[in-house]
Amino acid sequence: MTCDDLLHEVVRNIENPVDAITFTPDLERHYRHTISAERRRAMLTAGGIALVILGLFAAEYFLIADPGRSPANMWGWFASMAVITVLVLIFTAIHAFVDSALWRDRATIAVLLFLSPVVCVCIAFGDPVARPAGLFAYVLMPIACNTLVALHFRQAMLVSGASLLVFVVYLAMLPEVAIDVKLQAWLVCAAATTMTAWANWRTDRGDRIAFLWLTRERLVAEMTQRRAEELHEMSKIDPLTGIANRRVFEERLGAHARGETLALIMVDIDHFKLFNDHYGHLAGDQCLQRVARALAEGVRTPDDLVARLGGEEFVILMPGLGAEGIMPVLDRLRRTVERLAIPHAGVRGDATDVVTISLGCAVAQPESSEECRALLTRADRALYRAKNEGRNRWRLTA
């Protein structure tokens, strides 16, 4: 899902909330991934709380309960508590080491579904005298599903409903417990399920609504920032040729390291006005694009800059290159454009029948911004001399 698609889905859920706890599959996956780290910490805390509660139950059973209970009941209860403890440890380990939020949720549901009958077995093997009171401890199951573990609402309803069903079956298998006690125990459990489910729904709904608004603000901010960066980059690019524009050239010239050798080349397409008049402006634009690409491919390193000044004029900055090093570059650039063999039948006389360029270059070690601007003037004069001497050539002033 792209950022635009995600933003559209978030806005749609905000403006038309069909169900505040239901997202489309893609948005649901993004939601689960976003809250995954925070939810993992909450689950690990829940596992620790559950272990403390189990410890309190064990202490109550061994230190306070009737010491005259039968060994069978004692070992049965102990085995059931051991199974519960193992399940809680498995639950905690899953949230500590499993990275997938989807599989952590599935494992949590499986553990809780298996925990319901185990808790019933644990109550069955408890002290028979205290069993009616022990039935009310089953209220911890819906509390665990809806608040402690805080499953997502639909998951919580699944586990809570299954737990209530298991409890009904278990109560039906206890003939020695009075019917009114069974009814009261089930009603307390059902009431706890209802209240905690309501709390779970409000929490889940509030979290999702907050997620929608926060995600919307984040995406809008990111898209605004991205658009600003794109506009900033576009402001540096000549829209016709795709190379740098005059603004970038002036920034680069002004930022040139003082005292470092700099070669500045002015380039002009020969007889370009006649080319436009003869072939039309569309062909003229294509000519500019091809020449710009040829110049850009003719530079040495990423530090070199090719920019369009306007019309048919280009400029090239080559830092660190002296007079001797620039001469073969000038000739190579001239021949590269000539080899493009762009037909030019708009002129007659001494001119060639293909598009050519004239180049003027100045080399110096400018110590100030004024000297940098003076370098541009000198290169322009060298270009003027090349054009006056017949075009399709270069001239250098050191």
Side-chain angles (χ1 to χ4, degrees):
M1 179 181 282
T2 66
C3 287
D4 289 341
D5 292 337
L6 181 59
L7 179 60
H8 174 75
E9 189 64 26
V10 167
V11 171
R12 188 186 67 79
N13 275 266
I14 292 175
E15 294 178 348
N16 302 294
V18 177
D19 184 346
I21 61 167
T22 301
F23 292 156
T24 58
D26 286 340
L27 186 57
E28 184 70 24
R29 279 191 293 270
H30 183 73
Y31 172 65
R32 299 286 181 93
H33 176 75
T34 302
I35 66 171
S36 178
E38 181 181 352
R39 189 169 179 79
R40 174 181 280 187
R41 289 192 294 269
M43 293 293 195
L44 290 174
T45 302
I49 293 173
L51 289 173
V52 171
I53 293 174
L54 288 173
L56 293 175
F57 269 98
E60 184 275 336
Y61 187 78
F62 287 107
L63 300 178
I64 302 174
D66 182 11
R69 58 186 174 270
S70 68
N73 282 348
M74 182 182 69
W75 288 110
W77 186 92
F78 181 78
S80 301
M81 286 293 291
V83 171
I84 294 175
T85 303
V86 169
L87 289 174
V88 173
L89 290 173
I90 291 173
F91 162 86
T92 306
I94 287 170
H95 286 277
F97 301 110
V98 176
D99 291 327
S100 170
L102 176 63
W103 283 105
R104 288 201 303 269
D105 285 347
R106 288 175 176 176
T108 299
I109 293 171
V111 168
L112 290 173
L113 289 175
F114 188 65
L115 198 58
S116 295
V118 174
V119 170
C120 290
V121 171
C122 186
I123 296 173
F125 283 101
D127 189 348
V129 177
R131 186 169 299 147
L135 294 176
F136 293 92
Y138 194 82
V139 75
L140 292 176
M141 281 305 302
I143 293 175
C145 295
N146 294 321
T147 58
L148 181 62
V149 176
L151 292 170
H152 296 293
F153 179 70
R154 294 181 184 278
Q155 298 172 344
M157 290 304 296
L158 169 66
V159 177
S160 296
S163 299
L164 279 177
L165 181 61
V166 168
F167 197 43
V168 168
V169 174
Y170 172 65
L171 291 175
M173 298 170 60
L174 289 177
E176 72 274 13
V177 178
I179 186 66
D180 59 332
V181 175
K182 293 180 182 180
L183 182 59
Q184 289 176 4
W186 190 87
L187 288 175
V188 168
C189 189
T193 300
T194 303
M195 289 186 291
T196 55
W198 169 249
N200 179 284
W201 181 82
R202 287 176 59 88
T203 300
D204 198 12
R205 179 176 179 273
D207 289 345
R208 287 170 181 268
I209 291 175
F211 161 79
L212 289 173
W213 283 102
L214 290 173
T215 302
R216 176 184 177 275
E217 295 304 314
R218 177 179 61 80
L219 290 174
V220 169
E222 289 178 358
M223 293 178 68
T224 302
Q225 176 66 23
R226 187 169 66 250
R227 182 58 179 165
E229 292 173 354
E230 290 173 355
L231 291 173
H232 181 67
E233 289 301 315
M234 289 173 60
S235 70
K236 298 180 177 181
I237 301 299
D238 176 62
L240 176 61
T241 61
I243 63 175
N245 59 17
R246 185 176 194 129
R247 173 184 175 183
V248 177
F249 159 70
E250 292 176 348
E251 289 178 354
R252 183 74 66 87
L253 185 62
H256 178 71
R258 302 297 179 251
E260 181 185 4
T261 302
L262 177 65
L264 192 154
I265 307 170
M266 291 287 294
V267 182
D268 187 85
I269 300 177
D270 297 328
H271 299 295
F272 185 71
K273 183 179 184 304
L274 296 175
F275 183 93
N276 259 345
D277 292 342
H278 183 80
Y279 293 100
H281 289 285
L282 179 59
D285 289 347
Q286 294 172 346
C287 175
L288 287 170
Q289 291 167 350
R290 294 184 65 183
V291 171
R293 283 198 299 269
L295 295 175
E297 293 169 359
V299 298
R300 307 164 304 149
T301 68
D303 291 333
D304 298 338
L305 174 71
V306 179
R308 183 186 178 200
L309 290 184
E312 69 273 23
E313 291 186 330
F314 300 88
V315 64
I316 303 174
L317 289 178
M318 290 188 168
L321 199 59
E324 292 185 1
I326 197 63
M327 288 189 286
V329 174
L330 293 169
D331 197 55
R332 185 178 74 247
L333 291 172
R334 183 196 65 79
R335 286 185 285 107
T336 297
V337 173
E338 189 175 27
R339 281 198 296 265
L340 292 175
I342 303 172
H344 192 345
V347 293
R348 294 293 183 268
D350 296 334
T352 62
D353 59 353
V354 296
V355 170
T356 59
I357 58 173
S358 298
L359 306 95
C361 179
V363 178
Q365 293 178 320
E367 295 288 346
S368 65
S369 58
E370 290 76 12
E371 291 184 14
C372 287
R373 287 192 291 271
L375 190 64
L376 177 62
T377 302
R378 290 166 53 199
D380 192 48
R381 289 174 180 169
L383 172 64
Y384 184 76
R385 193 166 75 248
K387 295 177 76 68
N388 280 344
E389 293 177 6
R391 295 182 172 85
N392 191 23
R393 64 196 65 210
W394 56 266
R395 290 294 177 259
L396 170 65
T397 173

